[in-house]
């Protein structure tokens, strides 16, 4: 039986635990229809998700003819070039490319970047209300920070960052076939831009990951020019888009849960623990890319046939009561926290360390700089982008004096400790 659920509805994004619990009642794998993809099986448990992600021989990202799952024949060549990256490759090509970028990342020493990331976050926090109040926390802060960090890490010009923001907005607006065709123009311009930047690095050298990748290319490592373009595109897009929504989603939860915010503000050394729970609870990346079933197999008692397609639901794995006590509850002190937000297996997220640092720096810089930050609208008025697979707040209007109002409301409800403690 095919289960019908609108994975792009406001109700789904507003309360994923409720929808996921309903979905899980139908089994550990559920047959459904996914936007832009079509008929697929979706995992609803931690164990089923882990099995699919770890068994790369049975569940592959490519068909036997090498085509990427979900990529259609009519899509332009430049889209195919961009899509032909590590995230869509099986072995041995995945390891070949992963080892190249791993080496480049090691040379850049991501952990050593934390002071620089913190400085960027502090500067952006200062400027949130430069154009007035209320301000959109997504566009003024959560989107700019990861784009600034990854573009600096790549060695891209500061002056080009408005282009990246425009492209990132185009990618976030992807909700259906019509918006996909609108996105094609942005993809074409982005492909041409990255081609130019790689060529400049080959001719002049430079600083950053692009120069590192060009050096690896010169040393004779096996990587084609098209793979270089797709690699840089992946780092720029994946290195910013998901972290944008982790930051905005985490800030939203703190703004609407004053008690949790108080706990964190009492000791910012707790922010690393909090970020792990935000990764689990917010789950910006809700689903993996589709995979092909290469042989008949049973997963958690459900029979899959060769040729079926499977999408793992990372958000469902993160809400599995068999793995987490009261998974529907946001608990910033949760230990242990075996979330699946970065996946597992050979495709475990390359940028996990960078994302954690960026989120921690972003939250601390924001709330230290603006201790009375508050939502400019009722939480019920916050809306999510109708982007399948990504839980992304569309706009998050904030004001500088909102916290006093929140404190009064809590006091009148009898749940505030005191007006003095909150103001």
């Amino acid at each position: 039986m095919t289960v019908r659920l609108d994975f792009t509805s406001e109700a789904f994004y507003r309360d994923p635990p409720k929808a996921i619990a309903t979905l899980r009642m139908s089994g550990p794998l559920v047959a459904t229809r996914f936007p832009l993809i079509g008929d697929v099986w979706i995992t609803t448990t931690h164990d089923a998700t882990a099995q699919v992600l770890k068994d790369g021989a049975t569940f592959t990202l490519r068909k036997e003819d090498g085509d990427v799952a979900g990529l259609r024949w009519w899509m332009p060549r430049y889209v195919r070039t961009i899509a032909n990256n590590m995230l869509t490759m099986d072995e041995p090509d995945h390891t070949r490319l992963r080892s190249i970028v791993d080496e480049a990342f090691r040379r850049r020493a991501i952990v050593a970047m934390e002071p620089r990331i913190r400085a960027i976050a502090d500067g952006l926090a200062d400027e949130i209300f430069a154009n007035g109040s209320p301000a959109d926390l997504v566009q003024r802060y959560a989107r700019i920070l990861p784009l600034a960090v990854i573009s600096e890490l790549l060695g891209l010009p500061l002056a080009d960052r408005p282009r990246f923001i425009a492209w990132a907005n185009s990618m976030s607006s992807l909700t259906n076939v019509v918006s996909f065709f609108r996105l094609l123009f942005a993809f074409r311009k982005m492909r041409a831009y990255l081609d130019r930047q790689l060529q400049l690095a080959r001719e002049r050298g430079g600083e950053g990951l692009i120069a590192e990748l060009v050096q690896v290319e010169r040393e004779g490592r096996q990587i084609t020019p098209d793979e270089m373009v797709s690699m840089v595109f992946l780092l720029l897009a994946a290195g910013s888009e998901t972290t944008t929504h982790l930051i905005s989603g985490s800030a939203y939860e703190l703004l609407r849960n004053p008690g949790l915010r108080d706990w964190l503000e009492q000791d910012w050394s707790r922010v690393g623990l909090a970020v792990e729970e935000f990764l689990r609870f917010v789950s910006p990346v809700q689903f993996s890319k589709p995979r092909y079933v290469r042989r008949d197999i049973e997963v958690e008692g459900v029979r899959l046939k060769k040729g079926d397609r499977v999408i793992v639901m990372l958000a469902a794995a993160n809400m599995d009561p068999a793995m987490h006590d009261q998974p529907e509850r946001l608990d910033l002190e949760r230990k242990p926290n075996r979330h699946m937000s970065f996946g597992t297996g050979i495709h475990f997220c390359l940028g996990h360390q960078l994302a954690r640092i960026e989120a921690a720096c972003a939250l601390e810089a924001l709330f230290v700089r603006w201790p009375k930050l508050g939502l400019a609208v009722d939480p019920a008025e916050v809306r999510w982008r109708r982007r399948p697979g990504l839980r992304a707040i569309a706009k998050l209007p904030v004001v500088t004096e909102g916290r006093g109002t929140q404190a009064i409301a809590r006091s009148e409800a009898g749940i505030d400790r005191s007006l003095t403690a909150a103001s």
Side-chain angles (χ1 to χ4, degrees), residues 185-203:
F185 180 68
F187 272 170
R188 186 171 62 185
K189 294 184 69 172
M190 198 169 187
R191 163 68 197 266
Y193 172 82
L194 296 178
D195 272 331
R196 288 197 302 272
Q197 293 301 317
L198 283 163
Q199 189 57 37
L200 286 173
R202 293 183 182 105
E203 294 171 357

Side-chain angles (χ1 to χ4, degrees), residues 274-285:
V275 166
E276 295 305 310
E277 178 66 350
F278 287 132
L279 282 162
R280 184 196 71 84
F281 189 83
V282 175
S283 287
V285 181

Side-chain angles (χ1 to χ4, degrees), residues 113-128:
M113 290 186 64
E114 182 169 350
R116 176 58 184 151
I117 294 171
R118 189 173 299 278
I120 294 172
D122 286 338
L124 291 173
D126 285 343
E127 296 295 320
I128 285 179

Side-chain angles (χ1 to χ4, degrees), residues 38 133 138 272 290 322:
S133 179
V138 176

